[in-house]
Amino acid sequence: MAEGRESNLSKDLRYNEAGIDTIVKDCPGIARHRLRLQKRDAVLFFMEALVSKDFIQRDVLGYLLSQDGPVLRDLERYNNVPIGTINKLDHMDQVIDAIMDGQAVLIADGVNQAFSFKVNKKPQRSIEEPATEKDIRGPHNGFIERLEANTALIQSYLKTPALKMRRYETGLRSKTTVGVFYIEGLANPKIIDEFDAKIKAVKTDSAFSPSYLEELIGGHAWTTFPLFYSTERVDKAVAYLLEGRLVILVDGFPQSLSVPSAFVMALQTADDYNIRAIAASVIRLLRFGALFISLFLPALYIAILTFHYETIPLSLLIPLAETRSKVPFPPVVEAFTMELIFEVIRESGIRLPSPIGQTVGVVGGLVLGQAAVAAGIVSNVMIIVVALTGMANFIIPNFEVALAIRLVRFPLMILAAMFGIVGISVGSTILFTHLISLKSLGQPYMIPFFPFNLRDLKDAFIIMPAAIRRSRPTLAQPQQYRRKKN
Amino acid sequence: MSNDLDSINSGQLLTFLFATEVGIGILVLPRTLIKEVGTGGWISIIIAAFLVGIGVICITLLNRMIGDSGFAALPILLGKPLGWVFSVALMLYLVAISSIVLNLFVEVVRIWFFPAASRLTLMLFLLVPSVYMVSKGLRVVALFDGFMYLIMALLALVPLHGIIDGNILFLRPVLQVTIGKLTSGALKSGVSFLGFELLLFFYPEILGKKRLFLTGAGSIAMATFFYVGAFIAAIALFGPVQPAHLTYPLLEISRTISLPIVERVDLLFGGLWVTAITTTISGFLIGLVKAVETRFHVRNRISLTVISIVTVIASLITGSFAEAEALADMIGIVGLAVGVVFPAVLLPVAWLRKGAIKKWHQSK
């Protein structure tokens, strides 16, 4: 019997085979093909579902069994084998890893080495526009679940040898392949090295998703705000690369992460750069307004109706009081009830198939809202406040930031119910302090506001025309700040 | 060595000092000065600004001569026993000023928003953001203080409204004030500039050391601008006598403003002002944290918790609003002594103890 995964391969085929059998016992889909090769017994191991049988039949077996086939020991160096990658393996763990990766592994009697052939054929879907990041203008292609395909997509936009990729394997069990892309000469080497050190320091069972990786590398475990922004859009990822950031792609996931990231990026979309700057600026300002509404409107409603109703002009106060007089609950209970109903409708809509989800949203929103008002549980104004808050939250382009804002809204509502506008001030102070203290791979998350950076304001609240917006954002500390040479 | 999370540049230092200086004073100062000096109170503010400017010069020179903060070098300059006595005294001063600002803060919030609220509840609640900010380090405090520019730009609308809607001629007669009254007014104004003396506690953390004086002077100039504006607005809108009988003249001005969609703008301004005071308290608290760190070599959550509890207890001991206001006048004089007289006295001592300072640096 083989000694274990770390042991060297033996010259005895049966010994090696037994070793592999012990480790892959009960593993699904492992096939073996016995053959006679140069007067030796040999076995070819592979995962049935992950390899191309055409490649194996035509390019591997066909060539190995031919009269002019290579000498086994020199297989790796032999140029005539019509397979792109052949690796020589010396240890049992290398053999197992190669089989699990979807490669075909050849073991022969009398040879204490194995050879792996890259004949993977992982299932992949077609390239489509990401469902959560639709844009009106610009390209409609998004990343898919295959790293190789995603690499090709990036390369199709950046036809330069300066585009580099570092490949990492993370997760002791999941062996997830992570590709880190950057543009040499633009990306800051210190940031690359810092990321390199951090990803190498990840010691975990499985780091198979980008979000998981972000949590492990990004730090700030107790924040709800994403420190590495994810996108499925290829054009956005390419734009981030051109700003000197790193783009991380994980094999098996269509989401890419851009590092470092800033809060303001949550309010930027690819469309902003595909339309005229003035129109884009107006829409950007609308998003900032939506962010404010989404965060503060319910809290302000509670604070004003509970403590500061004298701020409302008399002409508005009377009809407001009339609608409120039918509601037996204080504003905070009313607001929480309606917000929770809204969140329930939203969550149920997401989990259902899209036609049913839409129906649930419409029926739930209209019927429940109308019924709640008729039953005297909430007032008409509250429905407007909650609907406006919910719609405003949808305007925030980044899903994770929108989610964080949704979560933060509730403590603010509680503080408003307890201390009115003072509570909102205290809550906001804590929130902004938290945001200011955040760092994305050592870079300030709230740039260009905190610390203030005039140059980066060209693409913050508003977006300046491309002719003026010639410098890259300072966040990633790119090696070349100016986009064009004068 | 300074912690990297604590290092701040000149711009951040300017913001930090300005945010610490401007707080309660902008509400209280017009009344105090009109009572003390009359319509010439604005001259007292300018005199006070020059006075604290001298303090900034002394602290800058002292820190430069020492190559560290004046506070850190106290045992070297004054000898161990005396150095420790003054260190403890300075720490007690910071506790006192933090607690008095907190107390006055709570009182204003009670008057403005919650007349029936418990003092202790409000104290604890209003201290939370400052303590959280301080727990994140000097740089985060200084960065957050950047909000002060936005807040002050909005709050400046209140005195601007007073000046536009009022009669600026109420300031006449100009210069018909005795030197004695002006001096007394300047000393009373001094409390509104407190915060500049924090330069005595920070030096290794400051990146733009060459611009230390300009930064300190800049923060005083900005604070002076707002104080003078608030004073002129109070006189212009309410006349030369009435502001002396208003607890917070600026608050009363804000109550006269109404917009088509917001009837009581003062409540919204109140919310902004709460954030402004939070920055003032966090400024003094981080000074205290730095002092404790320098002297006792501890910086952790426990020390910050102890400092916060001590501040709350000291605020409760301070007593009623009237007592707190009386103590504020007293602490204003102490603050000027700490920020102006103390560094001025230490300067020649530092010059005489050059050798000891050099040895101290070598031993570090």
Side-chain angles (χ1 to χ4, degrees):
Chain A
M1 280 292 289
E3 290 160 28
R5 285 200 62 164
E6 284 82 28
S7 62
N8 289 333
L9 290 172
S10 158
K11 283 187 176 181
D12 184 353
L13 174 64
R14 278 187 297 175
Y15 180 87
N16 290 335
E17 212 180 334
I20 294 169
D21 282 341
T22 310
I23 297 167
V24 302
K25 189 184 172 198
D26 296 336
C27 287
I30 294 194
R32 75 188 72 195
H33 188 93
R34 294 187 185 280
L35 56 152
R36 188 88 181 145
L37 198 65
Q38 292 167 12
K39 298 177 184 172
R40 299 169 195 268
D41 285 331
V43 179
L44 191 70
F45 283 94
F46 52 88
M47 298 274 276
E48 273 185 310
L50 296 181
V51 299
S52 162
K53 284 181 183 159
D54 286 347
F55 283 162
I56 289 186
Q57 291 288 347
R58 187 187 63 211
D59 299 333
V60 180
L61 293 177
Y63 188 73
L64 289 174
L65 297 172
S66 67
Q67 289 300 314
D68 54 347
V71 177
L72 266 178
R73 286 189 182 283
D74 296 333
L75 195 62
E76 191 195 17
R77 286 186 284 146
Y78 221 85
N79 293 330
N80 291 339
V81 182
I83 294 292
T85 310
I86 299 173
N87 287 319
K88 189 166 69 180
L89 313 172
D90 296 313
H91 301 281
M92 186 58 80
D93 58 341
Q94 292 174 329
V95 170
I96 299 299
D97 288 347
I99 296 171
M100 292 300 161
D101 186 48
Q103 297 177 42
V105 175
L106 178 77
I107 308 172
D109 199 29
V111 183
N112 59 350
Q113 285 163 338
F115 300 92
S116 68
F117 304 91
K118 197 127 181 143
V119 285
N120 314 47
K121 195 196 79 176
K122 289 179 185 172
Q124 76 178 61
R125 64 176 166 94
S126 60
I127 293 165
E128 292 162 358
E129 183 166 30
T132 52
E133 290 180 89
K134 286 193 189 298
D135 271 339
I136 295 161
R137 297 188 66 178
H140 296 286
N141 53 2
F143 289 123
I144 58 167
E145 285 76 5
R146 289 286 313 281
L147 181 59
E148 286 78 10
N150 293 339
T151 306
L153 282 170
I154 292 177
Q155 281 170 331
S156 69
Y157 278 84
L158 289 170
K159 299 171 190 76
T160 163
L163 175 69
K164 306 290 177 193
M165 184 185 93
R166 287 191 187 183
R167 190 180 278 268
Y168 300 90
E169 200 172 71
T170 59
L172 297 172
R173 281 189 192 280
S174 62
K175 308 269 183 199
T176 312
T177 308
V178 177
V180 178
F181 296 79
Y182 60 93
I183 296 179
E184 199 173 51
L186 271 188
N188 192 311
K190 280 183 188 169
I191 291 178
I192 299 170
D193 291 344
E194 189 175 346
F195 184 85
D196 187 74
K198 288 201 168 180
I199 199 167
K200 280 178 180 164
V202 170
K203 296 278 181 267
T204 181
D205 211 20
S206 61
F208 61 87
S209 81
S211 306
Y212 202 77
L213 203 63
E214 183 209 332
E215 279 204 41
L216 290 170
I217 294 172
H220 298 282
W222 293 102
T223 186
T224 59
F225 290 88
L227 299 177
F228 299 169
Y229 281 3
S230 76
T231 181
E232 287 183 46
R233 293 191 66 90
V234 185
D235 54 341
K236 265 179 108 172
V238 169
Y240 291 148
L241 285 170
L242 287 167
E243 287 175 349
R245 297 177 216 269
L246 317 184
V247 167
I248 303 158
L249 278 160
V250 178
D251 194 31
F253 286 84
Q255 291 86 19
S256 71
L257 296 174
S258 72
V259 183
S261 295
F263 181 83
V264 72
M265 286 163 63
L267 299 165
Q268 297 167 340
T269 66
D271 254 357
D272 292 352
Y273 307 93
N274 295 327
I275 55 175
R276 303 293 292 186
I278 293 174
S281 298
V282 173
I283 295 169
R284 183 78 64 81
L285 284 172
L286 180 76
R287 281 191 213 118
F288 274 95
L291 176 74
F292 181 85
I293 289 170
S294 176
L295 192 57
F296 292 114
L297 188 63
L300 280 171
Y301 173 83
I302 293 168
I304 288 171
L305 285 191
T306 311
F307 296 101
H308 321 297
Y309 43 83
E310 62 269 40
T311 52
I312 307 167
L314 197 63
S315 53
L316 185 63
L317 187 61
I318 292 166
L320 195 63
E322 274 175 10
T323 56
R324 281 282 306 140
S325 65
K326 293 168 194 158
V327 181
F329 307 115
V332 62
V333 175
E334 188 193 7
F336 260 91
T337 308
M338 210 50 226
E339 282 288 347
L340 282 174
I341 289 173
F342 187 84
E343 293 299 331
V344 167
I345 293 169
R346 174 148 54 180
E347 275 304 300
S348 60
I350 291 170
R351 308 286 164 235
L352 290 168
S354 56
I356 304 171
Q358 281 174 7
T359 314
V360 166
V362 173
V363 172
L366 284 177
V367 175
L368 273 177
Q370 195 59 41
V373 172
I377 296 169
V378 294
S379 63
N380 286 326
V381 181
M382 189 66 236
I383 299 280
I384 297 169
V385 167
V386 171
L388 194 58
T389 308
M391 296 303 283
N393 192 262
F394 285 130
I395 292 179
I396 301 168
N398 186 291
F399 170 75
E400 286 165 294
V401 170
L403 182 65
I405 297 293
R406 268 163 71 189
L407 295 177
V408 171
R409 186 195 303 154
F410 289 98
L412 279 176
M413 285 161 66
I414 294 170
L415 288 172
M418 288 167 72
F419 295 97
I421 203 146
V422 176
I424 297 175
S425 275
V426 167
S428 313
T429 304
I430 293 171
L431 171 65
F432 284 110
T433 304
H434 173 70
L435 286 170
I436 290 169
S437 71
L438 292 178
K439 291 205 164 188
S440 176
L441 212 71
Q443 305 306 311
Y445 187 60
M446 285 301 279
I447 201 167
F449 313 116
F450 304 96
F452 184 74
N453 189 306
L454 189 64
R455 185 155 56 174
D456 287 4
L457 278 184
K458 286 175 196 163
D459 191 8
F461 287 120
I462 55 165
I463 176 166
M464 299 297 263
I468 299 171
R469 213 178 57 244
R470 281 185 299 188
S471 56
R472 297 174 213 283
T474 48
L475 175 70
Q477 298 180 11
Q479 293 188 73
Q480 279 180 1
Y481 273 105
R482 292 191 76 78
R483 287 179 194 266
K484 291 178 196 168
K485 282 183 182 172
N486 284 328
Chain B
M1 274 298 288
S2 67
N3 183 340
D4 184 51
L5 290 172
D6 278 345
S7 55
I8 54 173
N9 61 30
S10 301
Q12 288 158 357
L13 178 67
L14 175 78
T15 314
F16 170 68
L17 291 176
F18 173 60
T20 311
E21 285 160 14
V22 178
I24 299 283
I26 201 154
L27 291 184
V28 180
L29 194 59
R31 173 182 29 109
T32 313
L33 283 180
I34 291 163
K35 258 188 194 170
E36 193 75 25
V37 195
T39 54
W42 60 274
I43 306 169
S44 289
I45 298 172
I46 294 170
I47 294 171
F50 277 104
L51 192 66
V52 296
I54 294 169
V56 172
I57 294 173
C58 293
I59 297 172
T60 307
L61 291 174
L62 182 69
N63 286 353
R64 206 168 282 172
M65 206 179 278
I66 295 167
D68 204 326
S69 72
F71 181 82
L74 279 179
I76 309 302
L77 298 176
L78 304 173
K80 259 194 176 173
L82 207 56
W84 268 89
V85 169
F86 275 94
S87 297
V88 172
L90 286 174
M91 285 189 246
L92 287 175
Y93 158 73
L94 287 175
V95 170
I97 192 153
S98 306
S99 59
I100 284 170
V101 172
L102 180 62
N103 205 339
L104 293 174
F105 181 22
V106 167
E107 284 305 323
V108 177
V109 169
R110 284 178 81 186
I111 291 169
W112 209 333
F113 296 102
F114 308 112
S118 134
R119 275 181 69 209
L120 181 63
T121 310
L122 279 180
M123 256 175 211
L124 292 172
F125 180 65
L126 295 173
L127 196 60
V128 169
S130 299
V131 172
Y132 180 66
M133 220 184 281
V134 170
S135 73
K136 299 288 180 185
L138 178 63
R139 190 186 287 172
V140 170
V141 172
L143 286 174
F144 184 86
D145 289 347
F147 268 112
M148 275 301 282
Y149 295 121
L150 179 69
I151 290 169
M152 292 314 289
L154 291 170
L155 287 179
L157 297 175
V158 177
L160 196 67
H161 163 77
I163 292 167
I164 291 168
D165 267 23
N167 184 358
I168 204 162
L169 294 177
F170 280 135
L171 282 171
R172 289 186 309 179
V174 183
L175 297 178
Q176 270 197 353
V177 200
T178 61
I179 298 287
K181 276 191 172 180
L182 281 178
T183 314
S184 161
L187 288 175
K188 293 229 170 189
S189 306
V191 70
S192 301
F193 288 99
L194 290 184
F196 75 96
E197 75 281 12
L198 289 174
L199 285 173
L200 205 56
F201 299 84
F202 298 103
Y203 190 70
E205 295 80 5
I206 299 163
L207 297 174
K209 291 184 174 63
K210 282 184 181 171
R211 292 187 291 272
L212 197 61
F213 169 69
L214 281 178
T215 310
S219 72
I220 291 165
M222 288 197 294
T224 308
F225 175 76
F226 278 101
Y227 289 147
V228 169
F231 180 85
I232 292 173
I235 297 267
L237 200 70
F238 299 118
V241 180
Q242 202 189 350
H245 305 289
L246 300 170
T247 316
Y248 302 117
L250 206 70
L251 179 57
E252 299 302 331
I253 298 173
S254 69
R255 281 184 176 156
T256 64
I257 306 170
S258 76
L259 298 171
I261 48 160
V262 184
E263 197 83 17
R264 289 272 310 273
V265 177
D266 63 300
L267 292 173
L268 300 182
F269 279 118
L272 292 175
W273 181 81
V274 165
T275 307
I277 295 294
T278 302
T279 62
T280 301
I281 296 175
S282 62
F284 288 116
L285 279 183
I286 197 142
L288 191 53
V289 166
K290 177 67 189 171
V292 169
E293 185 193 350
T294 308
R295 204 51 71 229
F296 299 104
H297 306 289
V298 281
R299 180 168 190 175
N300 50 34
R301 284 181 184 176
I302 296 169
S303 70
L304 181 58
T305 311
V306 170
I307 285 167
S308 310
I309 292 168
V310 168
T311 306
V312 172
I313 292 170
S315 303
L316 289 170
I317 293 169
T318 318
S320 68
F321 178 49
E323 286 168 2
E325 278 221 317
L327 275 173
D329 285 344
M330 206 192 297
I331 207 79
I333 304 293
V334 175
L336 287 177
V338 168
V340 183
V341 181
F342 190 55
V345 171
L346 285 181
L347 263 177
V349 179
W351 188 74
L352 289 170
R353 304 270 298 158
K354 264 183 186 171
I357 292 167
K358 203 174 177 183
K359 274 186 190 169
W360 177 57
H361 277 298
Q362 283 167 350
S363 67
K364 276 203 285 189

